[in-house]
């Protein structure tokens, strides 16, 4: 069974780009446009990995991450931060990687592959 | 509770984090935000010639210069101004700390937001907040929120508040502020005391006894004041206080640290910002608010 990735980003273009990228490489994807929606999706879909934007109009990435880390079922889900913010690596210190937009697709795929296979 | 926010800024990159916090709070909590900028210190009393705060050059204050400064600020914060309906710019001349305090008093601000330093002379300011923050934090009647590192520039809404206490008189005001913010914004509140063992060699039993005592003290001092508020944790760790506060804030993904000025001085008028607050301001991964006075909490 293919691994499932939850893509959280308010930018439709980034969502569809990441969706295509992961889809082409054999992953299943689900999407959410901000942190509040993402929590519901994560609970229902139980993704194997999450890519997380930080700045979103509703609930920001770090707040989503806090909720995620409080959930017994989801707290071990690996998270990759993908954001254009300054010094974004400090936002979620426990993330497995932090990529700055524009990011390198090869690098992202490598990290995903190393993490969930 | 954050109806009127005073953003005191030089417009330099060092204050971008503070600006982001102020504007985001304004948008999120429907506050009015005043961008307050002191254009320069008069070269002589009542003089219209000032030393420009950015360049240090002498300039004559006329309408053209003021319009230029205002335009510069608008350009600097253009992104933040988008969607901020309740924002205005106020310019003045004078000694920054004094003018910030004057404006906060005049406008009856609920919160002053500023950077820890203007960012000039970075090697010096790495270890200590600038004198303006020191003076404002010490004298302001309202809480003063500072954002030092750009990384620490607020990650979208408060949900977890850390209140650090040294059991001083001033900490009572800081606690009231932390509690009312937590209540109003539906946040978790962690009440924390760091048992200072820096530079001491203590028996482990003694340390653990002191931790138990501090925990009990928190229960007695703060829990009765919380009424029906139940979203709180109590933590007591030993170590160097500022290190422990920063560590706990990071571990718990805290988005606001609330402290009183650590000081042995009981009179709040005479108490000055202490080394623990200074170091937390410079190091924390989230905004730090210092509260010492009972007003506005």
């Amino acid at each position: 069974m293919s691994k499932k990735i939850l893509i959280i980003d308010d930018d439709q273009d980034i969502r569809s780009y990441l969706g295509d990228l992961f889809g082409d490489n054999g992953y299943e994807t689900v999407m959410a446009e901000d942190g509040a929606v993402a929590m519901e999706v994560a609970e229902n879909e139980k993704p194997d990995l999450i890519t997380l934007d930080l700045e979103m109009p509703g609930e920001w990435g770090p707040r989503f991450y806090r909720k995620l880390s409080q959930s017994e079922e989801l707290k071990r889900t690996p998270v990759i931060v993908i954001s254009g913010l300054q010094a974004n690596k400090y936002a979620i210190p426990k993330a497995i990687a932090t990529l700055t937009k524009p990011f390198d697709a090869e690098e992202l795929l490598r990290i995903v592959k190393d993490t969930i296979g | 509770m954050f109806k009127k926010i005073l953003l005191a800024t030089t417009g330099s990159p060092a204050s971008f984090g503070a600006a982001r916090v102020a504007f985001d709070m304004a948008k999120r909590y429907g506050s009015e935000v005043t961008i307050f900028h002191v254009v320069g210190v008069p070269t002589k009393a009542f003089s219209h010639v000032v030393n420009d705060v950015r360049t240090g050059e002498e300039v004559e204050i006329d309408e053209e210069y003021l319009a230029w400064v205002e335009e510069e600020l608008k350009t600097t914060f253009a992104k933040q101004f988008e969607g901020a309906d309740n924002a205005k710019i106020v310019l003045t001349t004078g000694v920054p700390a004094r003018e910030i305090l004057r404006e906060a008093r005049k406008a009856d601000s609920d919160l002053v937001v500023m950077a820890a330093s203007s960012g000039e002379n970075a090697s010096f300011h790495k270890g200590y907040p600038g004198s303006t923050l020191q003076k404002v934090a010490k004298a302001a009647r309202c809480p003063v929120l500072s954002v030092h590192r750009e990384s620490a520039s607020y990650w979208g809404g408060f949900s977890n508040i850390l209140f650090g206490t040294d059991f001083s008189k001033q900490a009572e005001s800081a606690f009231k502020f932390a509690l009312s913010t937590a209540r109003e914004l539906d946040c978790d509140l962690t009440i924390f005391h760091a048992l200072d063992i820096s530079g001491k060699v203590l028996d482990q039993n003694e340390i653990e006894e002191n931790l138990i005592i501090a925990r009990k003290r928190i229960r007695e001092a703060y829990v009765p004041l919380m009424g029906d508020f139940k979203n709180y944790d109590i933590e007591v760790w030993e170590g160097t206080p500022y290190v422990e506060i920063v560590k706990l804030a990071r571990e718990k993904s805290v988005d606001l640290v609330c402290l009183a000025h650590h000081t042995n001085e009981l009179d709040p008028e005479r108490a000055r910002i202490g080394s623990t607050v200074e170091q937390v301001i410079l190091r924390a991964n989230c905004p730090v608010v210092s509260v010492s006075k009972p007003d506005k909490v």
Side-chain angles (χ1 to χ4, degrees), chain B residues 13 33 38 86 119 127 152 156 191 197 212 276:
Chain B
V33 58
V38 180
N86 236 339
I191 305 169
I197 58 161
I212 292 168
T276 301

Side-chain angles (χ1 to χ4, degrees), chain A residues 9-58:
Chain A
D9 203 302
D10 58 325
D11 185 337
Q12 168 63 40
D13 293 339
I14 299 267
R15 284 204 302 272
S16 62
Y17 172 70
L18 285 173
D20 290 346
L21 182 73
F22 292 138
D24 292 348
N25 286 278
Y27 298 102
E28 196 186 325
T29 54
V30 280
M31 317 264 178
E33 67 273 13
D34 84 6
V37 182
M39 201 58 213
E40 231 171 85
V41 179
E43 275 165 358
N44 295 334
E45 301 281 345
K46 309 275 181 309
D48 298 292
L49 184 136
I50 296 171
T51 72
L52 180 63
D53 187 17
L54 294 180
E55 199 173 7
M56 291 176 286

Side-chain angles (χ1 to χ4, degrees), chain B residues 181-231:
Chain B
T181 309
R183 252 186 221 284
E184 193 153 320
L185 307 180
D186 192 23
C187 303
D188 291 339
L189 174 65
T190 304
I191 305 169
F192 179 61
H193 175 70
L195 183 67
D196 191 357
I197 58 161
S198 47
K200 300 171 196 162
V201 181
L202 293 174
D203 175 30
Q204 190 61 28
N205 283 346
E206 198 181 337
I207 292 175
E208 283 171 27
E209 267 163 36
N210 283 330
L211 293 177
I212 292 168
I213 291 169
R215 214 167 251 284
K216 192 161 170 269
R217 216 170 151 190
I218 290 180
R219 289 216 162 269
E220 285 169 359
Y222 300 114
V223 173
L225 304 175
M226 287 197 273
D228 58 354
F229 185 82
K230 294 283 174 249
N231 298 342

Side-chain angles (χ1 to χ4, degrees), chain B residues 23-273:
Chain B
F23 277 98
D24 195 284
M25 283 176 76
K27 285 175 200 168
R28 213 168 271 275
Y29 307 127
S31 329
E32 178 189 314
V33 58
T34 303
I35 296 97
F36 186 73
H37 176 69
V38 180
V39 289
V41 185
T43 45
K44 283 179 194 158
F46 308 111
S47 167
H48 285 287
V49 178
V50 300
N51 288 320
D52 184 278
V53 286
R54 274 195 184 176
T55 60
E57 284 168 14
E58 281 197 0
V59 284
E60 198 174 327
I61 297 285
D62 53 19
E63 282 191 5
E64 197 186 333
Y65 176 73
L66 289 175
W68 176 78
V69 173
E70 189 166 339
E71 201 49 48
E72 277 284 296
L73 283 171
K74 274 193 181 144
T75 314
T76 306
F77 299 123
K79 199 182 160 208
Q80 283 92 334
F81 267 113
E82 282 169 25
D85 311 323
N86 236 339
K88 62 173 178 184
I89 294 178
V90 174
L91 302 174
T92 191
T93 57
V95 179
R98 199 192 308 149
E99 296 307 320
I100 293 166
L101 289 166
R102 202 198 302 270
E103 178 66 22
R105 200 168 50 233
K106 196 178 91 189
D108 196 22
S109 305
D110 298 305
L111 188 72
V112 172
V113 180
M114 58 195 295
S117 71
S118 62
E120 295 146 16
N121 201 354
S123 58
F124 173 73
H125 286 307
K126 253 181 201 158
Y128 302 94
S131 60
T132 305
L133 174 68
Q134 293 265 4
K135 286 176 192 148
V136 173
K138 184 196 159 200
R141 311 300 309 187
C142 64
V144 176
L145 186 139
S146 58
V147 184
H148 179 59
R149 294 153 63 204
E150 174 60 13
S151 61
S153 48
Y154 194 58
W155 305 109
F158 297 127
S159 57
N160 197 4
I161 298 173
L162 169 62
F163 160 66
T165 179
D166 56 359
F167 302 111
S168 63
K169 178 87 184 142
Q170 293 87 313
E172 288 172 21
S173 305
F175 174 72
K176 277 187 195 150
F177 177 78
L179 178 64
S180 54
T181 309
R183 252 186 221 284
E184 193 153 320
L185 307 180
D186 192 23
C187 303
D188 291 339
L189 174 65
T190 304
I191 305 169
F192 179 61
H193 175 70
L195 183 67
D196 191 357
I197 58 161
S198 47
K200 300 171 196 162
V201 181
L202 293 174
D203 175 30
Q204 190 61 28
N205 283 346
E206 198 181 337
I207 292 175
E208 283 171 27
E209 267 163 36
N210 283 330
L211 293 177
I212 292 168
I213 291 169
R215 214 167 251 284
K216 192 161 170 269
R217 216 170 151 190
I218 290 180
R219 289 216 162 269
E220 285 169 359
Y222 300 114
V223 173
L225 304 175
M226 287 197 273
D228 58 354
F229 185 82
K230 294 283 174 249
N231 298 342
Y232 69 88
D233 295 314
I234 294 171
E235 296 280 355
V236 181
W237 294 1
E238 76 277 28
T240 305
Y242 77 82
V243 177
E244 301 308 317
I245 293 170
V246 171
K247 267 161 64 181
L248 181 62
R250 187 167 54 223
E251 190 53 35
K252 290 199 125 190
S253 306
V254 161
D255 30 45
L256 180 68
V257 174
C258 184
L259 298 171
H261 299 179
H262 172 85
T263 175
N264 297 325
E265 177 59 63
L266 290 176
D267 178 0
E269 294 298 330
R270 291 174 59 190
R272 71 182 294 275
I273 185 166

